[in-house]
Amino acid sequence: MPNGERPWRLERFIDELDAWILREDPSEDISLIVLPWIMSRTDDPYLGVRREQTLDNLWFGAIPGSEDGNGQVVACSYWLFERERVVRCNSIASLSLPL
């Protein structure tokens, strides 16, 4: 953690991950890429994502390496609550490229 900051606390990611797996039945290879990416949000939730222009604190991005070869990529959106250091998952979904 930079400057001794505590890690970010994740909320609703496992629920959303389970829902995505049930809904979309991704390959095991893709699923194994998504979980470590989720866990990386505890260190730096800003890495590789962008803030949505129209909604304060909503961040969105594609999960690197999650392209399925059929023109889809797994994407995640989440809310950041900086004072509390909370990252709350909004959605995990496979979306068509380009994003």
Side-chain angles (χ1 to χ4, degrees):
M1 296 288 103
N3 302 324
E5 292 177 338
R6 68 184 193 275
W8 290 79
R9 187 180 51 168
L10 303 180
E11 293 182 351
R12 298 191 34 80
F13 278 90
I14 298 305
D15 292 341
E16 291 298 325
L17 177 66
D18 289 345
W20 168 69
I21 290 170
L22 285 173
R23 184 176 61 247
E24 299 188 23
D25 193 27
S27 71
E28 186 174 334
D29 290 341
I30 298 292
S31 297
L32 291 174
I33 290 168
V34 174
L35 187 57
W37 181 89
I38 288 171
M39 298 312 297
S40 75
R41 304 298 90 187
T42 63
D43 294 328
D44 186 355
Y46 302 101
L47 183 64
V49 295
R50 64 181 183 269
R51 189 177 68 78
E52 286 298 310
Q53 303 264 338
T54 58
L55 296 169
D56 288 341
N57 300 326
L58 183 64
W59 293 73
F60 170 82
I63 297 174
S66 68
E67 299 86 5
D68 68 358
N70 295 315
Q72 291 200 315
V73 65
V74 181
C76 183
S77 64
Y78 49 81
W79 301 95
L80 287 181
F81 302 97
E82 291 181 341
R83 185 178 3 204
E84 297 86 3
R85 293 189 62 83
V86 168
V87 185
R88 183 174 300 142
C89 189
N90 181 61
S91 177
I92 299 172
S94 298
L95 302 176
S96 296
L97 292 170
L99 294 183

